[in-house]
């Protein structure tokens, strides 16, 4: 997807038809031959929704980092305590 953005296949926040075609072709080349355009669109929507949830939870707060290995947010105990106070 990043490569398609570089190619100019994402305009005003939307993918061009060629962008979707290129993404699906790249997935097919990677061995995911059952993937279709609708699957890419649905996955993108899911990721966007999850991104909003994360932003709503952590928005405006600092001290959190994403651990790529564990796939979790990490912070010092006092940062978590501050979040709990704000969200309670």
């Amino acid at each position: 997807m990043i490569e398609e953005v570089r190619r100019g296949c994402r305009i005003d926040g939307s993918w061009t038809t060629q962008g979707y075609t290129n993404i699906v072709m790249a997935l097919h080349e990677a061995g995911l031959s059952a993937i279709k355009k609708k699957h890419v669109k649905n996955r993108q929507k899911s990721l966007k929704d999850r991104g909003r949830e994360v932003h709503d939870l952590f928005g405006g707060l600092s001290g959190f980092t994403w651990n790529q290995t564990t796939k979790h947010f990490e912070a010092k105990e006092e940062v978590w305590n501050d979040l709990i106070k704000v969200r309670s």
Side-chain angles (χ1 to χ4, degrees):
M1 292 179 133
I2 293 170
E3 184 59 33
E4 293 310 310
V5 171
R6 289 183 186 136
R7 291 179 181 163
C9 292
R10 188 161 171 88
I11 301 170
D12 295 328
S14 297
W15 293 104
T16 63
T17 300
Q18 187 61 51
Y20 275 119
T21 299
N22 294 344
I23 292 166
V24 170
M25 285 177 24
L27 291 168
H28 288 184
E29 289 171 8
L32 302 169
S33 58
I35 301 293
K36 298 189 180 339
K37 178 181 172 180
K38 67 180 180 178
H39 298 120
V40 174
K41 290 177 102 172
N42 287 337
R43 179 54 55 127
Q44 184 178 1
K45 182 183 180 311
S46 296
L47 291 171
K48 198 181 257 187
D49 291 344
R50 289 186 183 133
R52 280 191 204 105
E53 291 172 5
V54 170
H55 181 269
D56 290 347
L57 180 62
F58 294 106
L61 300 174
S62 61
F64 292 91
T65 59
W66 177 254
N67 183 319
Q68 188 63 32
T69 304
T70 63
K71 309 288 189 221
H72 289 96
F73 283 98
E74 295 179 348
K76 294 179 180 175
E77 187 172 343
E78 59 267 15
V79 174
W80 282 113
N81 289 338
D82 289 347
L83 175 65
I84 292 167
K85 286 178 192 173
V86 169
R87 302 296 181 208
S88 298

